[in-house]
Amino acid sequence: MVPESLIRPLAALLILGCLAASPPVRALAQESPRDPLPAAPTPQPKATGAAKAPEPGAAATKGTPSASATKAGARPKAKPGPKTRRGRKARGPAPIPSRGAWANPVGAAALTDMLATTIPGPVTGTFSAMVVSLSRGDTLFAHAAGTPVMPASTMKLFTSALALEVLGPQHRFATEVLRDGVLAPDGTLRGNLVLRGDGDPSLSPRLLGGAPGDPMARLARDIAAAGVKRVTGDVIADGSAFDDSKIPEGWRKRYLGAAYAARVSALSLNENLIWIVVKPGAKGASVTTDPPTAGLPIESEVRVVPGRGGRISAWRRPDGSIKVKGSIGAAASERRWSLVVEDPALFAAGALHAQLEALGVNVAGKVRAGRASPVAPRLAVLASPPLKEIVAAMNGESINLFAELLFRSSARGPARAGVGNAVTANNALERFLSGKVGVDSGAVNASDGSGLSILDRVTARSLVKLLAYGHRAPWSAEYHASLPVAGESETLRHRMRRTPAQGNLHAKTGTTNDVVSLAGYVTAKNGELLAFAMVYNGHDKWRARERIDRVGATLAAFTRE
């Protein structure tokens, strides 16, 4: 199953938790009406901006002991361009519909007839689709609109709406450092430091900029500024805001080595990826991690050889250490390989430990998991950007980890009550949908918040009702602004170009091995706002996507009689 931004070839990811005997993990691409809806005012045109950095991806490569690896970009958010093999052309973006590939229907009956010939058409598989005018409240098209289907990343529309409804667009997460002990006048903390997570997805260069370790560096500086010079105890990782389940139910095992299936934790850093950095040197190869982190031993057998190339493999051994071997050219530039972190909370706490040591704050103890005392004083705090920015990044480039963290945080609410998990989040979603959106109970089942689970089910009708509610909600502007724009931005930047949908249609995409989906908004030629959902399940996904894009352009060209 493949996240949105990974449909084109990307750099391979290594599997941090793999044993040497494990087989290579294959790469996947990521990316889900009969009753009329109430009329709503037409929105302001959606503003567009620069596309956000795509999420890291994975691709299979032969020749490694336990996991595939290829050279990656300098930062987790970088996306390499299309690669070319000798004698073959690189695969380009999806075909652009030619002029005349869409219709220009005049009148509701003409639109309904046209859509009925397009969906499902000759495509094999299951389509669930619905189109409603939010300006007039009438249903313009419905095909199996009540049939449960896997949504893929259109599930993020539900997660976004739930988070914005429960937490609010201005909500900020707070990652704290607490002291469990007495701070003496000489700067000695006689006790432990506790790094407590709040489910913040933003502790990475994608939203904060800088280097992967910068969030922990900022906290370390604040700890030092508070007068701490020595710590006699440990650095404790507190991820107790969420339960201990790091892999949602319904995620296939073959996903788990890829960045789009990063482990879920209330204490996450750098989207729960670590970079292995290899550089040639006069005395041999230098092998380090970015961010630096304590408690993660690395054994290197990387040789420096003549030339500019490099062939590196890395895997995690049963004792938790990382083994790196291979060769790098003496004239080669720095090479980076990303690995999925198995225990994100310990990884983040280890990065804080390393940053403290770099500042000269001596920590006598180790890094371990634990929980902060309810009365532990706070030494430092790092606040996230507002939720609306996190939602925009999540929907723009379809970031699964962001969705999982927001899903669980929504279950806890702004008071941060209880422990977030997928079950309580699904219950909160069902209450929201049945109580406010008007979705029938049981029409939506969310085993996760991202749509990666094969157990997720939605209907086209539930998606359209959600879009209608989102359009009239107090957070409508933030919801609209979070969606990619056809032909212009993020996961829709190469689709429906040079059609009436370009710069107009804005929607959430969904793509896996078995699903193609698109749900969002488009303004018709006569100015009325339409909400639509088209979800396909099956193996004929490329023809299904072509038909979905044709419908999107046709909706933009529609006008009443």
Side-chain angles (χ1 to χ4, degrees), residues 36-206:
L37 296 167
T42 302
Q44 295 297 317
K46 173 178 164 60
T48 62
K52 302 171 188 64
E55 65 180 311
T61 302
K62 298 180 180 179
T64 65
S66 64
S68 25
T70 59
K71 180 181 176 184
R75 285 165 56 180
K77 65 178 182 178
K79 179 179 179 180
K83 297 181 180 180
T84 307
R85 295 183 182 179
R86 186 175 302 174
R88 297 178 62 184
K89 293 183 179 179
R91 181 178 179 177
I96 300 170
S98 60
R99 187 174 300 277
W102 64 91
N104 296 276
V106 177
L111 175 65
T112 301
D113 290 344
M114 181 273 157
L115 297 186
T117 62
T118 306
I119 291 179
V123 177
T124 59
T126 300
F127 250 119
S128 181
M130 189 174 187
V131 181
V132 165
S133 171
L134 298 184
S135 300
R136 299 198 181 193
D138 58 330
T139 297
L140 297 170
F141 177 71
H143 173 81
T147 299
V149 285
M150 292 183 291
S153 285
T154 52
M155 177 60 76
K156 295 181 177 71
L157 288 169
F158 292 98
T159 300
S160 302
L162 180 65
L164 290 168
E165 179 79 13
V166 172
L167 302 175
Q170 300 301 325
H171 177 84
R172 294 177 186 263
F173 299 95
T175 303
E176 301 173 299
V177 179
L178 312 170
R179 61 175 174 87
D180 184 10
V182 177
L183 181 59
D186 66 352
T188 300
L189 173 58
R190 303 187 185 282
N192 306 310
L193 286 174
V194 183
L195 178 63
R196 183 165 65 187
D198 189 33
D200 186 358
S202 73
L203 300 180
S204 75
R206 191 190 297 272

Side-chain angles (χ1 to χ4, degrees), residues 242-249 263-265 408 420-422:
F242 296 169
D243 69 359
D244 292 332
S245 178
K246 298 179 178 64
I247 301 171
E249 188 179 6
R263 307 300 175 263
V264 179
S265 172
R408 288 155 180 77
N421 60 61

Side-chain angles (χ1 to χ4, degrees), residues 249 380 440 442 446 478 518:
E249 188 179 6
D440 294 339
E478 292 83 1
L518 188 70

Side-chain angles (χ1 to χ4, degrees), residues 207-447:
L207 283 179
L208 298 184
D214 281 2
M216 294 303 108
R218 289 168 60 178
L219 287 172
R221 288 194 295 270
D222 289 346
I223 293 167
V228 178
K229 297 179 180 179
R230 289 172 296 280
V231 179
T232 63
D234 302 328
V235 176
I236 297 175
D238 184 353
S240 60
F242 296 169
D243 69 359
D244 292 332
S245 178
K246 298 179 178 64
I247 301 171
E249 188 179 6
W251 283 20
R252 296 184 188 274
K253 289 184 179 180
R254 65 173 182 263
Y255 305 164
L256 301 181
Y260 60 79
R263 307 300 175 263
V264 179
S265 172
L267 180 53
S268 295
L269 175 66
N270 196 42
E271 299 177 24
N272 296 337
L273 301 175
I274 190 170
W275 292 86
I276 301 297
V277 184
V278 182
K279 301 177 184 177
K283 296 183 179 181
S286 165
V287 180
T288 58
T289 65
D290 189 14
T293 183
L296 189 63
I298 297 179
E299 180 182 342
S300 171
E301 294 182 3
V302 179
R303 299 173 292 109
V304 177
V305 298
R308 298 178 178 273
R311 184 175 180 83
I312 307 293
S313 58
W315 64 98
R316 191 167 196 172
R317 298 189 297 193
D319 63 1
S321 64
I322 296 175
K323 180 69 173 289
V324 186
K325 63 188 303 183
S327 62
I328 187 169
S333 59
E334 173 187 287
R335 303 296 176 94
R336 288 173 171 251
W337 288 263
S338 64
L339 308 169
V340 174
V341 172
E342 286 298 324
D343 194 324
L346 288 179
F347 165 59
L352 178 62
H353 187 294
Q355 294 293 343
L356 288 167
E357 293 285 353
L359 287 176
V361 178
N362 177 258
V363 181
K366 60 184 179 179
V367 176
R368 62 180 176 89
R371 184 173 296 198
S373 164
V375 296
R378 188 167 74 182
L379 284 172
V381 61
L382 182 58
S384 74
L387 176 65
K388 62 182 181 180
E389 295 182 20
I390 297 172
V391 168
M394 176 186 75
N395 284 338
E397 289 296 345
S398 205
I399 310 167
N400 289 337
L401 180 64
F402 281 27
E404 298 307 329
L405 301 187
L406 294 186
F407 192 49
R408 288 155 180 77
S409 293
S410 298
R412 300 183 73 215
R416 296 168 168 85
V419 176
N421 60 61
V423 174
T424 57
N426 184 47
N427 292 340
L429 178 62
E430 184 169 350
R431 290 193 299 271
F432 165 59
L433 292 177
S434 60
K436 293 189 175 183
V437 180
V439 172
D440 294 339
S441 178
V444 175
N445 178 70
S447 291

